Amino acid sequence: MKIDQFPETIRPHLIPKPSGELIYRCLGCQAEHSIESLLYTCPDCGQVLLIHDRRFDRLKALSGETWQQILDYRRMLKIPALKGIYRYHEFIGPVIPLDSVVYLGEGHTPVVEANTVLQEKTGMRFFYKNDGQNPSASFKDRGMASALSYIHFLIQEGIIDEVLSICASTGDTSAAAALYAAYLKPDIKSAVLLPHRKVTPQQLSQPLGSGADVFEIPGVFDDCMKVVEALADGYNVALLNSKNAWRILGQESYSYEIAQDFDYAMADKVVVVPIGNAGNITAVMNGFLKFFDVGIIDALPKIVGVQSEHANPVYNYYSQTAGDGRRFVPMTVKPSVAQAAMIGNPVSMPRVIYLVDRYNRVAGEPRVFFAQVTEQAIMDWQLTANRNGHIACTHGGESLAGLEEALKNGWVNAKETAIIDSTAHALKFSGFQDMYFQDSFPEGFAVQPKPALVNQPRYVCPAHLKRVPEPGKPMAKEDFATFVEAVAGQIAGDLGLKKR
Ligand SMILES: *Cc1c(COP(=O)(O)O)cnc(C)c1O
Ligand SMILES: [Zn+2]
């Protein structure tokens, strides 16, 4: 739809212009720092930062209802910069001009309602939000679109040049970082650090294919993160981990999309997300808080953060009684099928503590919950979901297992509707499905395949056949007819088909 066809009251607001005043705000000492240099932690006290808009209250000049209309009409525009996360420009990057925006097709991922079979199994109505349908097949593209659009802006303004972007990764961050950096060639070069053998072959293929410098390091993600922090502290590089507060801003789009997709009715909604480095749950909480503050939504949805019992430092923190005695204890992780969330010392923990407190205070009651689930439950729920038409990754299985816990504990009830985050595409983690189907999980995982969920290909090549098709070796007509008949016969027998 063309702009002059929109209602006149909406027209002036349809195309966002830079109008915010963003600063980094320290979660430790509250100091504010200019966004003109790339900062990841507070130069005064070393704590993590969040980006704050000093002029945020200007957005309240319009009613929540008007904002809803602006966002809904914006959906009809054909401007590439507004097709992705920057549909929510005023909330995500209100200093970035639209021609600095990098759009590679991220965001606005489908919400797919679970079928009756699955809703009966779980005991409530729910939708998967398929963030695996982002360009690099995980939600990390949301944060990268934001971080790289900002870096692109700084380059265009001549504030920085020749950027080397760097990140540590459990696989998906590096895939996204390498993809977006490759698009901004030659201004940006990218390097990624991965824990050796702790990312899937599909994930490893992604930064390699995008042309990044890929380094593999012994240990787990937490060890890679330390090396990357040493590089970011000592050298002139742009850090793309979620320590970078621009990543958080972009990932807030997940909440804005849920609000918009459910017509801004959030009172009876439950949003379930897996937790690793805790950047995602930070963004999800912050996003809903901002929309609530402006009146775009009139209630905060419940949020359930889920961790595997093999990597559960956030869960452990919140299972202690609230108060001064509560301590965050980093842990050494054990192998997990939710491999992208296998993190023992989440960088965003201070953000989580700050935002959970604020979220519950603003809501006037506890609305954020933390569940822990077994490796077995993660696999069983992932496979069950996918046998009912979904494309959930193991973390999507983890989320669904978390919903089951939330129902069991009475945090949510059957009258509510859940939106479950499948953070990546099933294909990235198909190796774990193979292990389940072949009963070949290394001991550390403690997963026992349930026969009803196992599936294997069956090779059909009847023994009596003298000749079967081979590339480059044409068969005699009769031999081929014999082959087709024998194979069809065996498959029909296997499937118990009746003759017509
Ligand atoms: C990164 C990632 C997570 C964990 O998200 P955090 O923001 O680190 O908590 C979960 N699932 C997938 C597929 C991921 O790539
Ligand atoms: Zn500080």
Side-chain angles (χ1 to χ4, degrees):
M1 203 152 115
K2 305 264 171 1
I3 291 190
D4 55 11
Q5 295 169 295
F6 288 81
E8 256 177 74
T9 48
I10 303 295
R11 267 184 238 166
H13 309 291
L14 268 179
I15 314 287
K17 290 172 268 312
S19 60
E21 189 186 343
L22 301 189
I23 41 109
Y24 294 115
R25 184 180 282 170
C26 171
L27 282 184
C29 69
Q30 319 300 324
E32 298 189 343
H33 304 282
S34 159
I35 55 164
E36 288 220 340
S37 59
L38 292 169
L39 276 189
Y40 312 110
T41 49
C42 176
D44 299 340
C45 77
Q47 187 57 280
V48 285
L49 310 165
L50 278 174
I51 293 170
H52 176 72
D53 186 350
R54 276 186 176 147
R55 303 192 53 231
F56 187 80
D57 283 349
R58 79 191 180 286
L59 303 177
K60 297 176 186 167
L62 298 177
S63 70
E65 210 175 308
T66 306
W67 274 115
Q68 295 175 358
Q69 286 175 351
I70 293 169
L71 299 176
D72 288 349
Y73 280 114
R74 238 177 228 173
R75 189 177 237 161
M76 292 186 253
L77 294 174
K78 307 292 185 315
I79 301 168
L82 295 177
K83 283 188 176 175
I85 61 168
Y86 287 99
R87 180 189 294 169
Y88 313 102
H89 183 270
E90 292 86 348
F91 300 85
I92 283 182
V95 295
I96 299 177
L98 293 192
D99 55 11
S100 296
V101 165
V102 182
Y103 171 66
L104 301 188
E106 64 285 339
H108 307 291
T109 51
V111 275
V112 178
E113 184 166 10
N115 64 13
T116 329
V117 178
L118 210 45
Q119 300 207 14
E120 274 169 13
K121 260 197 175 45
T122 50
M124 76 185 282
R125 181 171 187 234
F126 77 92
F127 292 73
Y128 259 113
K129 185 159 170 68
N130 288 334
D131 256 28
Q133 286 177 260
N134 276 301
S136 80
S138 88
F139 77 84
K140 300 294 200 301
D141 295 326
R142 299 176 179 277
M144 288 305 163
S146 164
L148 272 300
S149 293
Y150 181 60
I151 291 174
H152 190 215
F153 168 58
L154 293 181
I155 291 171
Q156 287 181 327
E157 292 287 298
I159 295 171
I160 55 173
D161 60 3
E162 291 192 22
V163 178
L164 175 68
S165 74
I166 189 159
C167 65
S169 177
T170 53
D172 293 332
T173 299
S174 56
L179 177 67
Y180 283 79
Y183 188 78
L184 292 175
K185 224 172 163 172
D187 294 320
I188 301 191
K189 289 196 177 65
S190 103
V192 306
L193 275 71
L194 303 170
H196 186 50
R197 292 183 201 275
K198 297 286 186 312
V199 307
T200 72
Q202 296 85 341
Q203 289 172 318
L204 177 59
S205 79
Q206 292 185 288
L208 289 173
S210 295
D213 285 311
V214 178
F215 298 94
E216 293 187 287
I217 288 176
V220 294
F221 170 83
D222 297 294
D223 306 303
C224 286
M225 192 65 213
K226 286 280 174 260
V227 177
V228 163
E229 283 169 349
L231 286 167
D233 287 345
Y235 300 86
N236 187 21
V237 294
L239 178 75
L240 288 183
N241 281 97
S242 54
K243 201 166 195 178
N244 180 333
W246 289 94
R247 285 270 313 277
I248 305 293
L249 276 186
Q251 288 170 203
E252 287 170 13
S253 58
Y254 187 82
S255 297
Y256 305 147
E257 289 172 21
I258 289 178
Q260 188 166 18
D261 271 332
F262 288 89
D263 259 332
Y264 309 99
M266 293 289 106
D268 61 344
K269 300 300 185 298
V270 180
V271 174
V272 188
V273 295
I275 304 177
N277 221 6
N280 200 27
I281 192 165
T282 295
V284 167
M285 288 188 286
N286 214 31
F288 285 122
L289 279 167
K290 283 194 203 168
F291 261 26
F292 184 74
D293 197 17
V294 176
I296 300 175
I297 53 177
D298 61 7
L300 291 171
K302 288 180 185 168
I303 293 176
V304 180
V306 191
Q307 295 205 294
S308 157
E309 52 181 25
H310 285 187
N312 58 357
V314 182
Y315 170 82
N316 284 340
Y317 177 82
Y318 282 102
S319 58
Q320 301 166 41
T321 16
D324 289 346
R326 187 140 79 178
R327 285 279 167 276
F328 178 71
V329 188
M331 68 178 302
T332 305
V333 292
K334 288 192 260 179
S336 173
V337 296
Q339 190 167 263
M342 235 176 83
I343 296 175
N345 191 12
V347 160
S348 283
M349 195 61 205
R351 292 166 170 159
V352 172
I353 293 172
Y354 165 74
L355 284 168
V356 167
D357 187 48
R358 229 188 106 204
Y359 202 93
N360 288 335
R361 211 157 8 90
V362 172
E365 61 173 15
R367 296 287 274 181
V368 190
F369 306 91
F370 295 89
Q372 115 174 308
V373 297
T374 63
E375 292 291 311
Q376 183 75 45
I378 297 174
M379 283 309 302
D380 291 346
W381 275 117
Q382 184 212 356
L383 297 174
T384 305
N386 293 351
R387 279 178 163 245
N388 284 280
H390 295 282
I391 50 169
C393 66
T394 45
H395 315 80
E398 182 177 27
S399 296
L400 189 47
L403 180 67
E404 185 190 33
E405 280 298 306
L407 271 162
K408 223 193 295 175
N409 292 325
W411 302 332
V412 305
N413 64 66
K415 290 200 198 84
E416 295 170 314
T417 297
I419 298 98
I420 307 274
D421 196 350
S422 176
T423 42
H425 199 288
L427 290 176
K428 283 211 195 204
F429 297 92
S430 61
F432 293 115
Q433 175 181 290
D434 291 343
M435 288 183 201
Y436 194 100
F437 290 172
Q438 289 156 23
D439 195 5
S440 62
F441 270 108
E443 231 171 75
F445 287 91
V447 177
Q448 286 296 323
K450 291 207 166 59
L453 291 174
V454 170
N455 203 3
Q456 296 269 18
R458 289 167 264 181
Y459 185 57
V460 183
C461 186
H464 69 272
L465 289 178
K466 279 202 280 302
R467 294 215 48 201
V468 295
E470 277 178 84
K473 294 189 185 164
M475 284 171 78
K477 229 179 180 172
E478 277 150 50
D479 287 345
F480 188 64
T482 311
F483 165 79
V484 169
E485 198 181 324
V487 170
Q490 187 171 330
I491 291 174
D494 249 39
L495 294 174
L497 302 181
K498 289 199 188 68
K499 265 210 147 62
R500 290 209 240 217

